[in-house]
Amino acid sequence: MAVGLTLIFGVMRVVNFAHGDMMVWGMYLAFVLSTRAGIDPYVSFVVCAAALFVLGVAVQRGLVDRILAAPHEMQILLMLGVALVLENTALLAFGPEPARVRSPLARLTWDVGPLYVDVARLVTFGLAIVLTLALSLFLFHTERGRLIRAAADNPYGAMVIGTDVRRVYATAFGIGAACVGAAGALVSPILPFQPPTGLSLSVTSFNIVIIGGMGSLLGAFIGGLLVSVAESLGAVFLRPSLKELFSFSLLILILLLRPAGLFGRRAS
Amino acid sequence: MLRLDAVEAGYGDVMAARAVSLEVRAGEIVALIGSNGAGKTTTLRAIAGLLPLRGGSVELEGRRLSGLGPAAVVAAGIAHVPEGRQLFPTMTVRENLELGARTAAGRARRAETLTRVFELFPRLAERLGQLAGTLSGGEQQMVAIGRALMARPRLLMLDEPSLGLAPVVVGAIFANLTAINRDGLTILLVEQNVLRALRCSHRAYVLENGTITLAGDSATLLADERIKRAYLGR
Ligand SMILES: Nc1ncnc2c1ncn2[C@@H]1O[C@H](COP(=O)(O)OP(=O)(O)O)[C@@H](O)[C@H]1O
Ligand SMILES: [Mg+2]
């Protein structure tokens, strides 16, 4: 989800419009694994992450690599192209009907006093925290991770110390896509989806990243919480179809008060 | 140790280095001096593999480096302290230093080299947890040099280490270069501060408009009328 986007943007300054569609592919993969092989999405998210990692590396190596030096508009066009290809392949493969993955967890609720706690959401939330923590550990405490941060901080400096920057980018893009794939699988029992869902997911995760601050993992996580709270409140107090109104109002408000986002660093 | 033979490099239509030939012998400090825009940085970038050669060849200890990328050049034993230092500003001093140890030799002797870097630059030991971007210019230069040393190179290249620093700090940096050289490290030093560079080096080359126009022992060049007139303002 947003954490993956933050990583890709933070490292390569590439705006990845294919983000939502990659997530939808994670969802369909979970769907196929669940219907054909009977694997629960709370298990198969690992497989989805691995598959999307490979897809991410392939997109980076085959396409993004060629245009890293090109102006930003070119990158946006390229990623929109990738998004269209992914969305339409999903349409061809799975058809336009909404799909939903069944998981026994999704039917469980806990009664805690006056509250119903949805077990599936709780598990998803817990795993999201674990994944974010694991990613931070990787970025701050392994050499590979430090290289990714170094290349994000100063790509030329990373080349000077003898780093194959393209390889670091491929890893970063792959990990970013893997986060998205895992996220897709984890929300697939909660959120019904169809191929065009990708676009709205992309928009939501941009919203999250901008609110949290470009390039900050913690920001992406907090931004995600804020957006989902805003959208739930919107759905309760207005109409479910108007929930985005809340999150976008939040976006505008935050951009007015803190143009760099909650945890963003000002461009220097 | 390092030999450049008629090296050509440039940007688009600009040929910034034209037929640059020079040699650095093991154990030496060699200075490459010249005014702003002469092509000094271009020459270093061509050696480092950061800019493709358009002609000529680069050899390190008899091994051709021409055509290798920056990663292979670092692995072959050349560390580069680039113009503008090019640190990782939002990473700590320790992380910056440790990231320099990307070669096999650097990895194997990481702890030992770190100790030596702290001997040379005690200030860095006090600033280990600080973000590199928050350091003073002199401290950043120390980190850049320390980061290059961490690779355990056979040849150290420095691009204007004195640029933008106060005279006291420049003096300290040059004293450190002499100490590093006494440890046995060969140095190729690019400088616009001609007086300092000639005083600290064994031999020097003068680069003008992308070509070497003068070469010799630094002591001889210090007394040369042309050098005095063009670079020392006397
Ligand atoms: N990135 C670049 N693109 C185009 N021209 C450049 C670039 N960098 C340097 N030059 C030109 O190349 C020439 C040599 O520059 P440089 O090697 O940086 O000189 P020095 O380091 O001796 O000051 C100058 O005329 C400069 O304008
Ligand atoms: Mg220069």
Side-chain angles (χ1 to χ4, degrees):
Chain A
M1 61 176 72
V3 168
L5 191 63
T6 287
L7 193 67
I8 292 175
F9 181 82
V11 174
M12 299 190 297
R13 311 274 187 282
V14 171
V15 179
N16 184 4
F17 274 105
H19 201 77
D21 292 293
M22 289 181 158
M23 187 153 164
V24 167
W25 268 91
M27 292 166 152
Y28 274 112
L29 206 57
F31 178 75
V32 169
L33 285 169
S34 156
T35 49
R36 298 280 157 82
I39 306 172
D40 192 273
Y42 293 102
V43 176
S44 70
F45 78 91
V46 182
V47 182
C48 299
L52 269 283
F53 179 86
V54 174
L55 177 68
V57 170
V59 168
Q60 155 66 20
R61 285 263 148 149
L63 301 171
V64 184
D65 231 17
R66 295 163 201 266
I67 56 141
L68 271 180
H72 242 68
E73 306 90 78
M74 300 290 282
Q75 302 181 354
I76 291 177
L77 280 180
L78 174 75
M79 293 324 291
L80 274 177
V82 172
L84 282 176
V85 169
L86 287 177
E87 178 175 333
N88 287 296
T89 331
L91 208 53
L92 266 181
F94 305 106
E97 300 80 23
R100 181 170 200 153
V101 181
R102 282 179 212 296
S103 164
L105 275 184
R107 264 171 278 139
L108 284 183
T109 49
W110 268 343
D111 299 337
V112 188
L115 296 172
Y116 289 113
V117 179
D118 190 332
V119 174
R121 279 168 210 268
L122 200 64
V123 170
T124 302
F125 182 68
L127 284 171
I129 291 182
V130 170
L131 285 178
T132 311
L133 280 179
L135 193 59
S136 313
L137 276 178
F138 167 74
L139 287 175
F140 284 85
H141 296 283
T142 68
E143 180 167 345
R144 230 353 133 72
R146 288 200 192 99
L147 277 178
I148 290 182
R149 285 168 52 225
D153 220 8
N154 180 354
Y156 184 77
M159 274 164 73
V160 163
I161 60 168
T163 308
D164 184 345
V165 174
R166 282 167 191 265
R167 215 170 113 191
V168 172
Y169 283 168
T171 316
F173 211 102
I175 293 176
C179 290
V180 174
L186 289 175
V187 300
S188 65
I190 305 172
L191 189 73
F193 51 91
Q194 58 204 85
T197 310
L199 181 63
S200 82
L201 288 174
S202 284
V203 170
T204 305
S205 68
F206 272 113
N207 195 345
I208 292 175
V209 166
I210 294 169
I211 287 178
M214 290 272 191
S216 160
L217 285 185
L218 178 68
F221 189 76
I222 306 274
L225 284 181
L226 284 177
V227 167
S228 58
V229 169
E231 294 199 346
S232 326
L233 288 179
V236 171
F237 289 112
L238 294 166
R239 262 180 293 151
S241 55
L242 287 179
K243 64 188 167 65
E244 270 98 4
L245 190 71
F246 263 59
S247 54
F248 279 99
S249 312
L250 184 69
L251 174 71
I252 292 169
L253 191 70
I254 291 205
L255 283 183
L256 282 175
L257 298 177
R258 279 191 64 98
L262 287 178
F263 293 86
R265 276 177 273 115
R266 238 156 258 280
S268 50
Chain B
M1 167 175 251
L2 178 76
R3 182 193 294 277
L4 268 63
D5 193 26
V7 162
E8 292 174 22
Y11 315 85
D13 296 337
V14 185
M15 268 311 237
R18 280 173 286 182
V20 175
S21 299
L22 61 81
E23 193 191 349
V24 183
R25 299 181 203 125
E28 278 187 323
I29 299 184
V30 170
L32 180 62
I33 57 184
S35 49
N36 197 7
K40 305 181 297 295
T41 297
T42 305
T43 306
L44 285 201
R45 294 185 61 196
I47 299 172
L50 291 161
L51 197 63
L53 287 191
R54 292 192 181 167
S57 69
V58 178
E59 275 181 17
L60 183 73
E61 293 169 324
R63 191 180 149 211
R64 257 181 95 91
L65 297 186
S66 331
L68 296 184
V73 172
V74 172
I78 298 184
H80 181 191
V81 180
E83 194 172 55
R85 309 184 264 266
Q86 304 291 348
L87 299 178
F88 307 113
T90 71
M91 300 178 78
T92 64
V93 169
R94 175 186 280 279
E95 285 175 324
N96 269 273
L97 291 174
E98 288 185 343
L99 278 166
R102 307 223 53 243
T103 57
R107 246 180 262 270
R109 302 170 71 180
R110 192 188 309 237
E112 177 197 338
T113 320
L114 207 52
T115 313
R116 180 64 185 136
V117 169
F118 294 153
E119 277 169 26
L120 289 163
F121 309 111
R123 192 95 62 89
L124 295 188
E126 300 160 18
R127 302 255 190 279
L128 271 185
Q130 209 169 313
L131 298 186
T134 65
L135 299 178
S136 71
E139 289 164 346
Q140 291 196 12
Q141 192 62 59
M142 294 173 197
V143 176
I145 297 174
R147 182 179 74 179
L149 292 176
M150 291 299 288
R152 280 278 156 185
R154 315 183 48 72
L155 173 78
L156 178 66
M157 303 197 298
L158 301 108
D159 197 344
E160 305 219 31
S162 73
L163 198 68
L165 303 184
V168 198
V169 185
V170 175
I173 297 263
F174 275 84
N176 281 312
L177 291 186
T178 309
I180 292 167
N181 178 246
R182 271 200 226 103
D183 285 353
L185 190 56
T186 310
I187 294 178
L188 175 59
L189 170 69
V190 157
E191 261 300 337
Q192 260 189 78
N193 189 335
V194 171
L195 185 62
R196 292 260 192 203
L198 288 179
R199 279 190 181 153
C200 118
S201 58
H202 302 104
R203 290 189 306 115
Y205 292 86
V206 180
L207 193 63
E208 281 171 9
N209 288 323
T211 44
I212 303 281
T213 53
L214 206 57
D217 284 345
S218 300
T220 318
L221 288 181
L222 256 180
D224 191 288
E225 284 304 321
R226 285 165 294 178
I227 297 276
K228 278 189 185 167
R229 237 180 297 121
Y231 299 107
L232 303 177
R234 272 182 265 162

